Amino acid sequence: MNTEETNVDLKDADPQEAPGPGPDAVPEEAPGPAVDADATEADVSEADLDQVDQEDQVDQEDQEDQEDQEKQPMTGEGDRAEDAPSAGGEEAEPVPVPEKNGSVKLKIPEDEEEKFTGLTKEELLRVAGTPGWVRTRWSLLVVFWLGWLGMLGGAVLIVLQAPRCRDLPSSSWWNAGSLYRIGDVGAFSATHDLKGVEQKVGYLSQMKVRGLVIGPIHMAPADDVMSLRFEEVSSESGTLDQFKDLVQVAHKKGISVVLDLTPNYQGSSGPWFSNGSVTNVAERLKSALVFWVNQGLDGVQLSGVERVASMVPSLWTDIRAIVQNGTEGTLNKRVLIGVTERSAAEDVSALLNSTGVDLLISGVLLPGATEATDATERAQSVQLLYSAHSQLKLAWSLGGWGQGHLASLVGPALVRQHQLLLLTLPGTPVFNYGDEIGLMDEGNTFPRMLWDSEDELNGTLKEEWAERRSSRRFFSALSALRAKERSLLFGDFLLLSNSSSSLAYLRVWDQSERYLAAFNWAEEAAALHLSGAAALPRWAVVVLSTDGGALPADSSVDLTELRLGPGEAALLRFPYAG
């Protein structure tokens, strides 16, 4: 055995397991020559290195076996490695090899979380003070303020260049919709009294009626000044309690109630009786106004105002003050409506100035002596009154206490045409009960109102019933449109065409949609040549037409070639173009 093998065996052998000298022990040979200590230490060191290499090799083999085990299924115990002979021919202790299918110890390195600590305060201060960062900060600051000032300037420029919205006029409730007059309570309702009117308030609300003008309903025997009692409700009309209930129900539906207090409404003596009685009647009317205002009244209508205003101006001033100067919180919420039989536009304009009423109902639109003259002068009268007065003081009506109903004045075929006219002119439209269905007078100016019936109808009656419903739908649609469109509520009035056979005008308000109303009065088709100061687009959209077959709703119309059929009217719209 050489020196290297001896040193390795001595290192691996366990001193406790070495056997002691037995009886049969052979005497040890005489020691050989002495071994150099430095050489022995070198030999041992080399042996240690060999052992370390062997352990590294075993670790590598163990790692390879572990990878094979992860790729192969578990199959039980593996084979043990065979004992390797020692270099000197002696059998060495077997080296255990890790089993393939046993427990495997994995060494997983722990991940160390990297923490970003950033720069310290001292480092930041050193960097912030460098010339480069100073220039950068100043550049960013200048860019920020330049951008901010630029946006501010752009916003100011947009505001200055944008068209300003037009201020809305200071209007009152009677400018927001149509007025509905019931001159004869008994003829309007099935119960022939004010209770029946109360039951129809929902019907009026569906038609977008804004004000209800009732009566007269007070006690006033014909031409009898001494029997005149303003504060007492006639038995033919109902009771005071019924009137109070009507006012409450109407107010809940957003409908105001106006009472006609014309003194001698059943007599034939001039307005307010004779010259000697005007002062007496006016004084009694003053106290009666206070009484009715306390019942929740929203306004008063009086006929013959021109005579009272001129004969007893001081009393007329008192009457106006009682009606128009409401109590605190209701200022300017009561309306004073005057009624005159005058029809000349100049006379009506003068009365508006002299009487001081809020609205004046006249005969300006009533048919004249000839159709051609009437058609031409009608638009001229409207233009004159519109130019001389605020449209908030104008009122338009066809028919009334003495004239009768709309259908009787213009003919059943032209009812819708004149509904469109009244609801699109600048001012407050005023209708009589039944005008929405084309009610005709039957021997008097207060015919019985026709309501929908559930009874079985024959062919003729069914057609008449269907026509009434169609006329009412047309009226309701127009009334609802007028109530919400600013151009129709208080827009400017621009006359585009006016002749003996046709009429066209434009209603314009600020940046709202524009509405063009066109009428053909003739019995044959007509082409309308539109002109005027307003710049019109090429196309417009049909809103409503009296002949839905020729001009269906939402269809487009070429305004350069606008044609209407016989007796046809249409309402068109187009957007604001800037």
Side-chain angles (χ1 to χ4, degrees):
M1 181 182 296
N2 55 33
T3 307
E4 180 178 349
E5 292 173 347
T6 304
N7 292 334
V8 174
D9 293 339
L10 291 175
K11 179 178 175 61
D12 294 338
D14 190 349
Q16 294 181 358
E17 295 179 356
D24 298 333
V26 180
E28 294 181 356
E29 297 181 359
V35 181
D36 186 55
D38 294 335
T40 302
E41 292 178 1
D43 292 340
V44 173
S45 298
E46 289 177 0
D48 292 339
L49 292 176
D50 290 341
Q51 184 177 358
V52 172
D53 292 340
Q54 184 178 0
E55 292 176 355
D56 291 341
Q57 183 177 0
V58 171
D59 291 341
Q60 183 176 0
E61 291 176 354
D62 292 343
Q63 184 174 0
E64 291 176 355
D65 291 341
Q66 179 180 342
E67 293 176 355
D68 292 339
Q69 291 174 3
E70 294 177 354
K71 298 178 181 178
Q72 297 177 3
M74 305 293 285
T75 58
E77 294 184 354
D79 299 333
R80 293 180 177 274
E82 295 180 358
D83 297 337
S86 62
E90 297 180 2
E91 293 183 358
E93 291 289 333
V95 179
V97 179
E99 295 178 354
K100 295 183 178 180
N101 296 325
S103 299
V104 179
K105 295 182 180 180
L106 299 178
K107 296 181 180 180
I108 302 176
E110 296 182 0
D111 295 335
E112 294 183 2
E113 183 179 357
E114 295 184 2
K115 296 182 179 179
F116 179 75
T117 58
L119 299 178
T120 63
K121 180 179 179 181
E122 292 75 12
E123 292 173 336
L124 286 174
L125 291 175
R126 285 198 304 269
V127 173
T130 58
W133 274 108
V134 172
R135 288 193 299 268
T136 301
R137 288 200 305 272
W138 277 107
S139 300
L140 293 175
L141 184 63
V142 171
V143 169
F144 167 78
W145 283 109
L146 288 176
W148 188 86
L149 291 175
M151 289 188 293
L152 179 62
V156 172
L157 188 62
I158 291 174
V159 171
L160 293 177
Q161 291 184 345
R164 293 191 60 185
C165 293
R166 189 174 174 183
D167 294 333
L168 296 176
S170 179
S171 59
S172 303
W173 65 260
W174 54 87
N175 305 123
S178 58
L179 302 182
Y180 193 86
R181 293 191 296 190
I182 302 177
D184 189 340
V185 173
F188 177 76
S189 66
T191 59
H192 309 292
D193 57 11
L194 291 169
K195 187 65 177 179
V197 178
E198 176 193 333
Q199 295 171 351
K200 297 299 181 181
V201 169
Y203 168 83
L204 302 177
S205 178
Q206 291 176 359
M207 293 192 301
K208 306 302 180 183
V209 169
R210 190 61 187 87
L212 179 60
V213 183
I214 296 291
I217 59 173
H218 58 272
M219 290 291 296
D223 303 320
D224 187 353
V225 177
M226 300 307 296
S227 300
L228 177 64
R229 294 190 293 275
F230 287 109
E231 296 92 343
E232 184 177 341
V233 177
S234 66
S235 58
E236 294 83 2
S237 300
T239 65
L240 179 60
D241 289 337
Q242 289 180 351
F243 181 81
K244 293 178 180 179
D245 293 340
L246 170 61
V247 171
Q248 287 184 339
V249 173
H251 285 174
K252 290 179 180 179
K253 292 290 186 179
I255 299 176
S256 301
V257 179
V258 177
L259 184 60
D260 191 332
L261 287 175
T262 300
N264 191 28
Y265 64 94
Q266 298 191 74
S268 58
S269 299
W272 297 30
F273 301 84
S274 63
N275 293 340
S277 62
V278 171
T279 302
N280 175 269
V281 172
E283 287 285 359
R284 293 165 65 180
L285 178 61
K286 285 172 54 179
S287 60
L289 288 173
V290 175
F291 170 80
W292 284 109
V293 164
N294 291 333
Q295 310 307 318
L297 205 62
D298 299 300
V300 173
Q301 176 176 287
L302 294 169
S303 298
V305 292
E306 61 270 26
R307 182 169 184 175
V308 179
S310 60
M311 294 187 64
V312 284
S314 60
L315 290 176
W316 177 247
T317 301
D318 294 340
I319 291 172
R320 286 180 51 200
I322 295 172
V323 177
Q324 295 174 325
N325 295 345
T327 57
E328 184 179 358
T330 61
L331 186 64
N332 298 328
K333 295 301 179 182
R334 284 195 289 267
V335 61
L336 178 58
I337 303 174
V339 180
T340 181
E341 295 181 354
R342 297 185 183 182
S343 58
E346 294 81 2
D347 294 341
V348 174
S349 177
L351 284 178
L352 275 171
N353 291 327
S354 62
T355 60
V357 294
D358 297 303
L359 295 176
L360 183 62
I361 300 175
S362 66
V364 169
L365 298 181
L366 290 175
T370 63
E371 239 181 73
T373 303
D374 174 60
T376 304
E377 291 183 354
R378 178 180 292 174
Q380 294 175 352
S381 298
V382 172
Q383 184 69 58
L384 187 152
L385 290 172
Y386 174 77
S387 302
H389 303 276
S390 166
Q391 62 177 290
L392 301 178
K393 298 182 70 68
L394 301 179
W396 310 106
S397 176
L398 280 166
W401 185 272
Q403 293 86 16
H405 283 72
L406 177 63
S408 299
L409 294 172
V410 302
L414 298 180
V415 168
R416 297 185 194 180
Q417 191 183 48
H418 286 82
Q419 287 177 353
L420 179 59
L421 176 70
L422 294 174
L423 285 164
T424 56
L425 285 175
T428 301
V430 182
F431 294 92
N432 292 313
Y433 75 92
D435 282 349
E436 72 276 12
I437 61 172
L439 183 65
M440 296 284 292
D441 295 329
E442 299 175 351
N444 60 66
T445 57
F446 298 107
R448 180 177 59 88
M449 179 63 176
L450 299 177
W451 301 102
D452 292 343
S453 175
E454 298 179 358
D455 299 336
E456 188 69 25
L457 302 175
N458 59 32
T460 303
L461 293 178
K462 187 175 294 186
E463 290 179 1
E464 293 177 355
W465 177 77
E467 178 61 26
R468 290 198 300 267
R469 294 198 66 182
S470 178
S471 178
R472 188 176 64 200
R473 285 195 298 268
F474 185 85
F475 178 92
S476 298
L478 265 176
S479 185
L481 187 68
R482 186 192 183 279
K484 67 180 182 179
E485 292 295 335
R486 291 181 176 178
S487 292
L488 296 177
L489 276 173
F490 30 70
D492 298 332
F493 174 82
L494 304 175
L495 193 61
L496 301 178
S497 175
N498 181 30
S499 68
S500 60
S501 61
S502 64
L503 170 67
Y505 53 83
L506 190 64
R507 298 297 308 280
V508 176
W509 176 262
D510 199 27
Q511 302 176 41
S512 301
E513 278 193 314
R514 279 77 170 108
Y515 284 86
L516 191 155
F519 304 85
N520 178 20
W521 312 115
E523 296 180 355
E524 62 275 347
L528 277 69
H529 302 286
L530 306 179
S531 60
L536 299 177
R538 173 73 182 274
W539 299 93
V541 177
V542 178
V543 180
L544 286 171
S545 171
T546 57
D547 186 356
L551 291 176
D554 297 327
S555 62
S556 297
V557 176
D558 188 348
L559 295 182
T560 62
E561 300 178 357
L562 181 59
R563 293 184 62 84
L564 297 177
E568 184 180 4
L571 181 64
L572 315 175
R573 74 165 181 263
F574 56 88
Y576 168 73

